[in-house]
């Protein structure tokens, strides 16, 4: 049966989060005079990413609120006991550097343009609606999506099937009529497949080259491959590099 809608992840799928985060933190640490505590800039950035992944994992597991994980990222990274206000202020200073580096991946607008007439579009993110609504508007693409759902407000996060089915319910479509596009092989790829959606795992640059593809997701390297996979007009499409 034909796919009628595409639901998208945001960070590292539409939005180049990793590049923006690294550029933002590099600028922030330099401005804060914190690089002297590390042998190299790369060591500092790796530590920030490690702490971010740890705290995000706590949030995804329901062990911390969205705001709480963000504050704890700052506390753990700095190794300091900070009040909520102090942690928020530090994070907001970082955010100013981070936002200056925001950008969509180059393949995003061509894919959205080509699929605009043939498919409905929505967003399902493990972030918060406040964060992702603001981000999508700043990137100039919010109007492309008829709905935006986020885990902080849903009360359930990917890879839980309930999160994916909530997106389908918002579109009033059965899961088998919806495709989900995301960058993580388990959270997005396997999660969407297990929930009954057409799961599309985008692995840009072979970031997960050594990872065996989960059963279910279609693995692509660029959104240029997506229209052909969905059976849409493929004038700018390309054959899958993963088969």
């Amino acid at each position: 049966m034909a796919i009628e809608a595409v639901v998208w992840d945001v960070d590292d799928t539409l939005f180049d989060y990793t590049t923006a985060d690294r550029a933002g933190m590099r600028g922030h640490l330099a401005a804060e005079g914190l690089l002297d505590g590390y042998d190299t800039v790369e060591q500092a950035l790796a530590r920030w990413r490690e702490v971010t992944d740890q705290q995000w994992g706590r949030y995804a597991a329901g062990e911390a609120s969205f705001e709480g994980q963000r504050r704890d990222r700052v506390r753990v990274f700095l190794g300091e006991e900070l009040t909520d206000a102090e942690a928020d202020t530090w994070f907001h200073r970082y955010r100013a550097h981070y936002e200056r580096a925001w950008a969509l991946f180059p393949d995003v607008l061509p894919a959205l343009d080509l699929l605009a007439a043939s498919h409905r579009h929505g967003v399902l993110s493990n972030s918060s609606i406040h964060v992702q609504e603001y981000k999508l508007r700043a990137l100039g693409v919010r109007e492309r999506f008829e709905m935006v759902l986020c885990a902080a407000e849903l009360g359930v996060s990917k890879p839980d099937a309930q999160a994916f089915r909530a997106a389908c319910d918002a579109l009033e479509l059965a899961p088998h009529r919806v495709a989900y596009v995301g960058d993580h092989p388990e959270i997005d790829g396997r999660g969407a497949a297990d929930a009954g959606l057409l799961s599309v795992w985008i692995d840009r640059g072979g970031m997960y080259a050594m990872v065996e593809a989960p059963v279910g997701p279609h693995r692509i390297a660029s959104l240029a491959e997506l229209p052909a996979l969905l059976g849409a007009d493929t004038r700018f499409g390309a054959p899958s590099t993963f088969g």
Side-chain angles (χ1 to χ4, degrees):
M1 200 168 288
I3 297 297
E4 297 183 31
V6 183
V7 177
W8 302 79
D9 174 51
V10 178
D11 296 342
D12 282 331
T13 297
L14 298 169
F15 160 62
D16 191 353
Y17 167 78
T18 296
T19 297
D21 180 52
R22 286 175 59 84
M25 185 51 66
R26 183 189 294 266
H28 179 55
L29 293 177
E32 299 280 308
L34 293 173
L35 289 175
D36 291 344
Y38 296 89
D39 293 335
T40 65
V41 174
E42 286 302 314
Q43 185 184 69
L45 296 177
R47 176 57 179 161
W48 173 248
R49 188 59 189 251
E50 177 187 21
V51 171
T52 296
D53 290 345
Q54 289 172 347
Q55 297 305 319
W56 193 262
R58 292 180 59 241
Y59 163 66
E63 298 170 2
S65 67
F66 183 81
E67 294 79 10
Q69 63 81 25
R70 192 167 63 181
R71 291 164 182 155
D72 286 343
R73 283 160 65 185
V74 177
R75 293 178 178 121
V76 174
F77 180 74
L78 295 178
E80 298 179 14
E81 292 293 331
L82 303 177
T83 66
D84 288 353
E86 289 170 335
D88 287 343
T89 298
W90 193 94
F91 191 88
H92 288 320
R93 292 199 301 273
Y94 148 71
R95 189 179 176 90
H97 295 277
Y98 165 58
E99 288 189 16
R100 284 196 286 272
W102 282 6
L104 296 168
F105 285 104
D107 57 358
V108 169
L109 290 180
L112 290 175
D113 285 345
L114 191 54
L115 294 171
S118 57
H119 293 77
R120 298 164 63 194
H121 296 271
V123 162
L124 173 64
S125 166
N126 270 1
S127 183
S128 77
I129 194 73
H130 172 73
V131 169
Q132 299 299 41
E133 283 272 3
Y134 175 75
K135 185 183 296 173
L136 292 169
R137 292 187 191 284
L139 293 167
V141 294
R142 174 59 185 91
E143 72 282 357
R144 306 273 190 149
F145 307 101
E146 62 182 83
M147 62 84 175
V148 176
L149 296 181
C150 292
E153 291 73 31
L154 281 175
V156 63
S157 60
K158 302 176 295 180
D160 194 309
Q162 292 182 67
F164 294 100
R165 288 173 185 154
C168 296
D169 289 345
L171 294 166
E172 298 183 335
L173 290 172
H176 63 269
R177 290 183 175 270
V178 179
Y180 189 81
V181 183
D183 70 289
H184 196 282
E186 295 295 329
I187 294 172
D188 298 315
R190 190 188 301 275
D194 288 349
L197 289 74
L198 175 69
S199 178
V200 183
W201 167 32
I202 182 162
D203 183 16
R204 284 193 180 86
M207 180 177 177
Y208 293 95
M210 302 305 292
V211 175
E212 183 178 353
V215 176
H218 296 267
R219 187 177 187 176
I220 63 175
S222 166
L223 293 181
E225 302 174 47
L226 185 60
L229 185 60
L230 299 179
D233 184 337
T234 58
R235 285 172 294 174
F236 88 102
S240 172
T241 57
F242 292 101

